[in-house]
Amino acid sequence: MIELDNIAYSYGGGELLSEVNLSIQPGDFYFLTGPSGAGKTTFMKLCYGELTPTSGQARLFGQDVRSMSRDDHAVTRRRIGVVHQDCQFLDHLPLADNVALPLAVSGRDDLENVSNLKELLGWVGLKERAKALPPELSGGERQRAALARAVIMSPDIILADEPTGNVDWEMSQRLLQLLLELNRMGKTVMIATHDMNLIRAAKSKVQARVLRIANRHVQLAGADL
Amino acid sequence: MKTFLADIMAIFVGDAQADRIVPPTGFTARLTLFASGAMAFLAVFALALSLASGRLAQRWGQELAQSSTLRISAPVEQLAAQTAAALKVLETTPGVAEARALTAEEQRALLAPWFGPDLPVENLPIPQLISIEETSGGYDAAGLRLRLQAEVPGAILDDHTRWRKPLQQAASRLRLLGFVSIILIAAVTGTIITLAANAALAANARLIAVLRLVGAQDSYIAKAFVRRFTLRALSGAAVGTVVGLIAVLILPSAQDQGGFLTGLGFQGASWLWLVLLPILAAVVAFLATGAAARRTLSELR
């Protein structure tokens, strides 16, 4: 689904990531970890085509990122649900509209999908908050809404960048539970986090692989967590 | 062309959701409305001017072409005889519908604006004027001149070409000027709307980034902006046109001696031009915003 073939990425002069090789298959469950500033978010962006590698080849669903047009990227993003670190909501639209935004922009905001939206909001426990504006939501509510938006298009892959970044332990457990349910439904999940407890909690429930970014390299970590 | 029409249709049918996605920006919205309204107001006058001068050119062309004047300068004692001879020549000239010597009163009336009403015309050696009405076919001016030269040596034929040409020329220049003004007004409207659209696109950079992240294609984002600006230009121009029209209608009404100004109005089919003004503004806004949006979006990732 996502294939990274010896890619490197550098900002200005310094190289942030190099010699990255990874092939993400359907149903995989990945954790991505590493110290702050190591390049977790950059790696995520390379995975959904927001950034183009400075060398090497990245393929999304078999298409080379470099040969994709702007509209190709748009269509690809409908197949990759991303939970952004800062959620990226439109503050003037109520929560329900924000969650339904991917449907609206792809012209699929028909009745059937709108009823699915209610179900989805119930699933993330935000049914009562549907009319609230994003700034009125708590951190946990925002993260759950971001997750709902990421999955509304029924994507093949869900990339979550620090989804538990600013929520308490109980809420992280709930978010993890939601992501595990998605994985059980056959979705590929990748979670960037530096929360080791979250990784340990997940490992007991799913066959999760842990990628660690260290010294500009992305390595598969052993079972030593 | 088909997709162009479909795009235009989409603007009126609209996408309520897309409309809400771009937050309304009160200030630029009002500025765009005002600018297109003001431009339409000016365009109404440019249009009225150019239509009126068009009519004027036509009228001068027709009226002056249908009449001419014969001037007879001769010693007082020969004047009556020469006038009679000239009238005889004119009566037998094909193409002359009517020839009539002006009476002393009429001549005095013509001179009054220059010399005052008390001028003793009888005592002055002023030439005798004969007014000639032509048939629609007209007469052969060169042939008539030759005949008059032979029989009435003091006669000078003035078929008004000398007057008509520059008047007609001035009127059609005026019309051209009016149309150039309309084109300039359209161009300025386009410029203003491009600037406003650029400002709106820049102000909504974050929104555009979010839309891109959730998989919006450029055409979707552009449409949300294009629709908004097109509708604003259309409604602003409609209001401006109506106000401009009211201003034209309350100009002092037509009087015989009003001459030029009184012609400033709309007649017959020229009313259709007024309907075209808001549509023209909408088309300009549609093209300008579309170009601005495509340019801005292609610079983003």
Side-chain angles (χ1 to χ4, degrees):
Chain A
M1 303 176 98
I2 297 176
E3 289 161 84
L4 307 176
D5 191 3
N6 198 25
I7 63 163
Y9 190 81
S10 44
Y11 280 110
E15 199 164 59
L16 190 61
L17 295 168
S18 66
E19 293 171 49
V20 178
N21 287 289
L22 183 68
S23 173
I24 298 176
Q25 301 301 323
D28 283 354
F29 198 110
Y30 279 102
F31 278 105
L32 178 67
T33 186
S36 296
K40 291 196 291 292
T41 299
T42 302
F43 183 76
M44 287 286 202
K45 284 181 175 173
L46 287 165
C47 286
Y48 65 86
E50 166 97 357
L51 295 175
T52 310
T54 37
S55 78
Q57 201 185 36
R59 280 188 300 277
L60 307 181
F61 302 104
Q63 248 185 312
D64 188 344
V65 169
R66 284 204 186 79
S67 70
M68 285 164 76
S69 70
R70 291 172 57 76
D71 283 352
D72 287 341
H73 273 290
V75 172
T76 303
R77 281 176 198 169
R78 296 174 190 173
R79 299 181 66 186
I80 305 178
V82 183
V83 181
H84 299 276
Q85 202 168 2
D86 45 1
C87 294
Q88 302 276 10
F89 289 129
L90 298 180
D91 288 347
H92 65 283
L93 289 181
L95 175 69
D97 285 346
N98 263 296
V99 171
L101 204 56
L103 292 176
V105 302
S106 56
R108 280 173 40 187
D109 46 346
D110 45 47
L111 270 180
E112 194 195 339
N113 280 315
V114 171
S115 62
N116 284 346
L117 171 67
K118 279 203 179 123
E119 213 173 288
L120 183 61
L121 286 179
W123 180 66
V124 294
L126 288 172
K127 217 173 217 166
E128 284 74 38
R129 305 290 277 146
K131 290 198 170 65
L133 293 175
E136 301 163 6
L137 301 174
S138 73
E141 285 171 330
R142 286 170 68 85
Q143 291 293 353
R144 278 181 285 153
L147 180 59
R149 191 182 70 180
V151 301
I152 195 160
M153 294 288 283
S154 188
D156 303 319
I157 305 174
I158 291 126
L159 303 176
D161 193 358
E162 300 279 5
T164 60
N166 43 19
V167 297
D168 60 26
W169 175 243
E170 199 179 326
M171 186 58 71
S172 343
Q173 290 286 80
R174 277 183 70 182
L175 280 162
L176 179 64
Q177 198 56 43
L178 293 173
L179 287 161
L180 287 169
E181 277 175 41
L182 286 166
N183 183 241
R184 244 169 259 140
M185 289 156 67
K187 312 283 185 201
T188 305
V189 175
M190 181 185 281
I191 304 172
T193 183
H194 55 247
D195 184 350
M196 290 302 154
N197 289 328
L198 189 74
I199 299 176
R200 275 184 213 113
K203 278 218 148 184
S204 60
K205 289 168 189 153
V206 71
Q207 188 76 32
R209 272 171 264 203
V210 179
L211 298 169
R212 187 197 301 251
I213 303 181
N215 295 325
R216 310 196 311 276
H217 290 78
V218 179
Q219 294 150 335
L220 205 56
D224 53 334
L225 282 162
Chain B
M1 191 63 200
K2 222 171 195 176
T3 56
F4 183 74
L5 286 179
D7 283 354
I8 293 202
M9 277 314 291
I11 282 176
F12 293 102
V13 177
D15 177 347
Q17 181 70 27
D19 230 23
R20 286 171 52 214
I21 285 173
V22 180
T25 40
F27 192 56
T28 30
R30 279 196 293 272
L31 280 183
T32 322
L33 274 173
F34 172 74
S36 55
M39 287 297 151
F41 183 83
L42 295 178
V44 169
F45 284 97
L47 195 58
L49 174 77
S50 108
L51 289 172
S53 49
R55 278 199 302 272
L56 213 57
Q58 208 180 14
R59 207 168 58 212
W60 283 342
Q62 273 172 356
E63 284 178 8
L64 291 177
Q66 292 297 306
S67 73
S68 38
T69 312
L70 192 66
R71 194 168 78 240
I72 298 170
S73 313
V76 183
E77 57 276 14
Q78 289 178 25
L79 197 59
Q82 288 212 10
T83 305
L87 282 171
K88 198 177 269 174
V89 169
L90 287 168
E91 271 161 29
T92 57
T93 305
V96 174
E98 196 199 337
R100 188 176 63 81
L102 294 188
T103 62
E105 285 74 36
E106 283 171 325
Q107 299 222 47
R108 194 182 297 149
L110 285 175
L111 290 174
W114 282 274
F115 296 111
D118 301 327
L119 183 76
V121 179
E122 297 78 15
N123 306 335
L124 290 172
I126 38 174
Q128 172 68 46
L129 296 180
I130 295 175
S131 105
I132 303 168
E133 293 289 322
E134 295 171 27
T135 61
S136 54
Y139 59 84
D140 170 20
L144 182 60
R145 277 206 184 92
L146 284 174
R147 282 181 65 198
L148 286 168
Q149 217 167 27
E151 300 185 28
V152 194
I156 296 165
L157 178 67
D158 178 7
D159 61 0
H160 298 173
T161 331
R162 228 157 28 101
W163 301 104
R164 206 168 71 217
K165 279 251 171 75
L167 281 177
Q168 255 184 310
Q169 232 166 28
S172 47
R173 284 283 152 75
L174 216 53
R175 174 165 57 174
L176 185 70
L177 213 62
F179 275 114
V180 169
S181 308
I182 290 173
I183 290 168
L184 285 178
I185 287 170
V188 171
T189 310
T191 310
I192 292 171
I193 288 176
T194 303
L195 292 173
N198 276 340
L201 287 161
N204 287 299
R206 211 185 82 84
L207 170 125
I208 293 170
V210 171
L211 291 179
R212 288 283 304 163
L213 283 177
V214 299
Q217 293 180 335
D218 284 351
S219 56
Y220 179 88
I221 302 171
K223 234 174 247 171
F225 286 92
V226 168
R227 179 179 140 79
R228 185 158 291 191
F229 278 96
T230 304
L231 288 181
R232 275 177 200 161
L234 182 69
S235 46
V239 172
T241 305
V242 169
V243 174
L245 178 63
I246 292 171
V248 168
L249 288 180
I250 61 173
L251 279 179
S253 59
Q255 288 164 354
D256 286 339
Q257 65 269 43
F260 176 74
L261 252 188
T262 51
L264 263 185
F266 295 89
Q267 290 168 9
S270 60
W271 286 98
L272 286 178
W273 281 101
L274 285 181
V275 182
L276 282 182
L277 280 183
I279 296 173
L280 178 71
V283 169
V284 166
F286 178 82
L287 296 175
T289 321
R294 275 192 299 279
R295 204 172 42 243
T296 307
L297 288 172
S298 67
E299 284 164 7
L300 297 174
R301 241 203 91 79

